[in-house]
Amino acid sequence: MSDDSAPKGVNDLVAGGRYRLLERIGSGATGTVWRAHDDLLDREVAVKQPRLPGGPGDEDRRRAAHRLHHEARAAALVDHPSAVAILDVVEEDGQPEAAGDGPPWIVMELIRGESLHETLTRGPLDPAEAARVGLAVLGALRAAHAVGIVHREVKPANVLLGPDGRVGLTGFGLAHTPDPPAAALPGSPDFAAPERRAGRDAGPASDLWSLGALLRTAVADTGPLDPLVRRLLSPDPDGRPDPAQAAAELEAVVAASRARLELESR
Ligand SMILES: Nc1ncnc2c1ncn2[C@@H]1O[C@H](COP(=O)(O)OP(=O)(O)OP(=O)(O)O)[C@@H](O)[C@H]1O
């Protein structure tokens, strides 16, 4: 693309010499997410600009940068159509930082839409749509668990919904591989499994509890999802369903709804 046709960015800020920031999408605890144009590949992407506390060398700042690096690495390991793909990481600050502690700007695929959290501010989903979204999230979680990653922050704000039915799980900031640090990490209490709230470590079953909480929050009445949601929300991690079984039950709810719609359209 020639310079003339390149979209004009906000303040013409170009991260990593390549990602032209176009529009602020939103911001969270660790940074601001921008819609950006990748001038090299001529496509739009999402770029997370870190917001780090303190000044260079501060412990808080070092920890926040570490968390972002960790988020990028954890998310990049997960290869699933319902996990937001990590495309690149660039270090862009101009500030002298210790190697590996610099603020990483995370370049991700852009999901044009909104988070499930935003969708739910307008009203609940019907159980079949919740099952479809839950099935996608569960798929991404199973892919994460298969490579030894526990997400630890499954919640509606971390589920992005595209206009084409696309579901993208993001927010791997608290994700970790087993053998965790002893200290309990912060998270969202409403979606954190009881063992996590008690300060014990989270395993794959903790993500299943969070999925149960997400499904319960997404619908006005759990209806056909009720038996599954109850088991996902079992206080005992061993009492939660096997992920393959949970997927089969969600699929059954989605299939029943499709069959009903087909009958009605005849
Ligand atoms: N890849 C993406 N494509 C489109 N929008 C995104 C993407 N990633 C995040 N967003 C949007 O950007 C906003 C901020 O995302 P971010 O991940 O920083 O939020 P957060 O989960 O609250 O943050 P944190 O995990 O740091 O607390 C959210 O509204 C989210 O919907």
Side-chain angles (χ1 to χ4, degrees), residues 31-139:
T32 301
V33 176
W34 297 84
R35 182 169 65 84
H37 187 263
D38 177 351
D39 285 351
L40 195 60
L41 291 180
D42 191 13
R43 63 173 179 179
E44 289 198 349
V45 294
V47 175
K48 186 164 182 172
Q49 174 187 22
R51 179 180 340 101
L52 301 181
D58 286 2
E59 179 59 20
D60 278 0
R61 187 180 178 83
R62 204 188 58 76
R63 214 177 286 133
H66 180 78
R67 182 182 154 183
L68 278 165
H69 273 289
H70 187 80
E71 172 173 353
R73 286 198 198 100
L77 276 174
V78 182
D79 181 12
H80 189 273
S82 297
V84 172
I86 300 298
L87 306 175
D88 197 4
V89 169
V90 293
E91 302 216 338
E92 181 77 32
D93 201 22
Q95 297 192 29
E97 300 270 355
D101 286 346
W105 292 49
I106 304 176
V107 183
M108 307 168 265
E109 66 167 314
L110 176 69
I111 307 235
R112 295 166 201 273
E114 61 181 14
S115 74
L116 175 61
H117 174 80
E118 288 164 280
T119 304
L120 293 177
T121 59
R122 294 194 300 275
L125 303 184
D126 70 61
E129 174 62 0
R132 187 188 73 80
V133 172
L135 189 58
V137 171
L138 179 57

